[in-house]
């Protein structure tokens, strides 16, 4: 936190740490910062403010990470800095995924956002996958995949080997076809502790990331979540009329994503691949969701444009 007690959107207080981490005075400053936040966490917990106590403990952990892993911290801050000043949502999403692939040492991955109407995760950026993967995971609503687990628990999820993980069994065929064996999925959390989406890195062989690498991705997920919350719900796209058209387009895209996902599960049923009952359940869900999103898009097209469109997070609350 800064001197005003606020949580800055870009918590980058020590970008030069890799060059100065051996300086005794600077290390003492970080150590005092860590102690201050841990003390605050104890006091807040004693007052019954568990959420604030956990947040203070997180700040303390960040200070400790900067002390223990200065080179990793520099890489993290460099990736986060790349997200600054990106006003176009598409560019922001692509750059966020690029940073995750670099930090995670992966050659393929995807970024999903939460559809506020259905709660499903929808792929909005990807690298390294073919059409079959993108259709299959176009809209995710279960908690058997790594991304689904990360979203449901709002906690980072690692699947070391998708071929031996029991929960991932329904998706093994698409994983084999897509050439990945391990997944690290990190939730994207905004400044209000709300889930914005999930970013996942995929690996060709069984893989368990080091604790340091998991911490880097977890912290990066917060940076990305805050950046997205500020860009994807704010004006330049919220001008009169523009937000209305964007909402129609969003529901249309969501309907197509659910349609493709249903088709992918129906192909698995016809081929006899995986858990057929699970594929039927998910195919039915996606067909129903596609129809619901199509109907929402049609309803919006017939309504007069709202001169002050609500942000997506407000729409989701109604």
């Amino acid at each position: 936190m800064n001197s005003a007690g606020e949580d800055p959107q870009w918590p980058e207080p020590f970008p030069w740490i890799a060059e100065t981490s051996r300086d005794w005075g600077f290390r003492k400053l970080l150590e005092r910062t860590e102690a201050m936040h841990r003390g605050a966490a104890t006091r807040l917990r004693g007052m019954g403010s568990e959420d604030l106590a956990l947040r203070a403990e997180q700040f303390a952990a960040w200070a400790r990470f900067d002390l223990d892993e200065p080179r990793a911290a520099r890489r993290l801050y460099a990736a986060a800095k790349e997200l600054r000043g990106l006003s176009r949502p598409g560019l922001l999403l692509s750059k966020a995924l690029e940073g995750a692939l670099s930090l995670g040492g992966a050659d393929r991955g995807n970024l999903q956002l939460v559809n506020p109407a259905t709660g499903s995760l929808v792929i909005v950026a990807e690298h390294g996958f073919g059409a079959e993967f993108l259709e299959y995971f176009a809209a995710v609503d279960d908690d058997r995949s790594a991304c689904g687990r990360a979203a449901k628990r709002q906690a980072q999820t690692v699947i070391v080997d998708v071929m031996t993980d029991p929960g991932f069994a329904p998706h093994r065929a698409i994983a084999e076809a897509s050439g990945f064996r391990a997944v690290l999925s990190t939730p994207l959390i905004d400044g209000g502790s709300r889930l914005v989406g999930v970013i996942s890195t995929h690996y060709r062989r069984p893989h368990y990331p080091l604790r340091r690498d998991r911490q880097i991705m977890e912290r990066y997920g917060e940076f990305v979540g805050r950046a997205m919350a500020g860009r994807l719900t704010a004006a330049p796209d919220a001008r009169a009329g523009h937000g209305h058209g964007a909402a129609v387009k969003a529901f249309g895209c969501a309907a197509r994503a659910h349609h493709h996902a249903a088709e992918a599960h129906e192909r698995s049923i016809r081929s006899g691949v995986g858990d057929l009952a699970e594929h039927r359940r998910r195919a039915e869900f996606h067909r129903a969701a596609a129809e619901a999103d199509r109907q929402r898009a049609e309803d919006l097209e017939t309504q007069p444009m709202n001169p002050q469109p609500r942000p997506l997070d407000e729409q989701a609350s109604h």
Side-chain angles (χ1 to χ4, degrees):
M1 292 185 181
N2 60 24
S3 58
E6 299 170 340
D7 176 9
Q9 181 177 358
W10 295 101
E12 187 182 339
F14 313 117
W16 56 87
I17 189 168
E19 289 77 23
T20 61
S21 60
R22 294 184 181 181
D23 179 79
W24 182 86
F26 189 74
R27 289 189 62 85
K28 294 300 291 183
L29 175 61
L30 278 176
E31 289 167 358
R32 286 197 298 271
T33 300
E34 178 189 14
M36 178 189 71
H37 285 303
R38 294 204 186 281
T42 300
R43 292 190 296 275
L44 288 165
R45 187 167 282 114
M47 296 166 59
S49 301
E50 182 63 22
D51 289 346
L52 292 176
L54 291 172
R55 191 64 175 157
E57 286 178 342
Q58 186 176 51
F59 278 112
W62 285 355
R64 174 48 52 185
F65 181 83
D66 289 346
L67 279 163
D68 293 343
E69 301 287 351
R71 293 184 181 278
R74 182 171 60 177
R75 290 176 53 228
L76 171 66
Y77 291 136
K81 188 176 181 180
E82 290 292 315
L83 305 179
R84 290 184 176 181
L86 299 178
S87 59
R88 291 172 49 200
L91 183 57
L92 172 61
L93 296 169
S94 298
K95 185 61 71 172
L97 178 58
E98 180 183 318
L101 294 174
S102 176
L103 291 171
D107 61 0
R108 63 187 68 186
N110 65 77
L111 191 157
Q112 299 157 294
L113 294 182
V114 176
N115 181 332
T118 64
S120 299
L121 293 171
V122 179
I123 294 177
V124 293
E126 65 83 29
H127 181 78
F129 291 110
E132 186 178 8
F133 174 94
L134 298 178
E135 287 185 9
Y136 186 92
F137 287 112
V140 175
D141 70 299
D142 74 334
D143 60 357
R144 297 199 175 193
S145 60
C147 59
R149 296 180 207 179
K152 182 176 182 179
R153 303 167 187 170
Q154 292 199 25
Q156 194 177 68
T157 298
V158 181
I159 296 183
V160 178
D161 188 346
V162 298
M163 294 304 171
T164 59
D165 183 272
F168 197 84
H171 308 306
R172 286 177 185 163
I174 190 64
E176 185 174 13
S178 301
F180 69 89
R181 290 286 296 271
V183 189
L184 171 64
S185 290
T186 301
L188 307 178
I189 308 296
D190 69 10
S193 299
R194 293 180 294 268
L195 179 71
V196 176
V198 174
I199 197 163
S200 300
T201 49
H202 298 69
Y203 304 87
R204 296 177 184 274
R205 292 180 290 277
H207 177 66
Y208 188 74
L210 297 173
R211 180 172 180 271
R212 175 199 63 200
D213 297 331
R214 299 196 307 274
Q215 286 178 309
I216 289 175
M217 290 301 298
E218 190 171 29
R219 196 166 174 186
Y220 184 67
E222 290 202 7
F223 291 169
V224 174
R226 294 179 187 190
M228 288 182 178
R231 303 297 191 279
L232 301 183
T233 63
D237 291 337
R239 294 185 298 270
H242 192 100
H244 182 275
V248 173
K249 183 177 179 180
F251 280 121
C253 289
R256 289 191 293 276
H258 282 296
H259 173 76
H260 289 315
E263 288 187 333
H265 285 292
E266 288 166 354
R267 283 198 298 271
S268 295
I269 293 170
R270 290 194 295 271
S271 302
V273 176
D275 185 333
L276 299 187
E278 178 68 12
H279 283 306
R280 290 191 188 95
R281 185 191 71 80
R282 297 192 69 201
E284 290 173 1
F285 167 84
H286 288 299
R287 286 294 181 199
E291 181 57 33
D293 281 336
R294 271 194 295 270
Q295 187 61 54
R296 289 188 185 97
E298 291 174 5
D299 290 345
L300 280 172
E301 283 184 316
T302 61
Q303 292 173 2
M305 289 186 289
N306 184 348
Q308 294 295 331
R310 291 174 296 172
L312 291 178
D313 54 354
E314 184 181 336
Q315 292 176 27
S317 67
H318 289 267

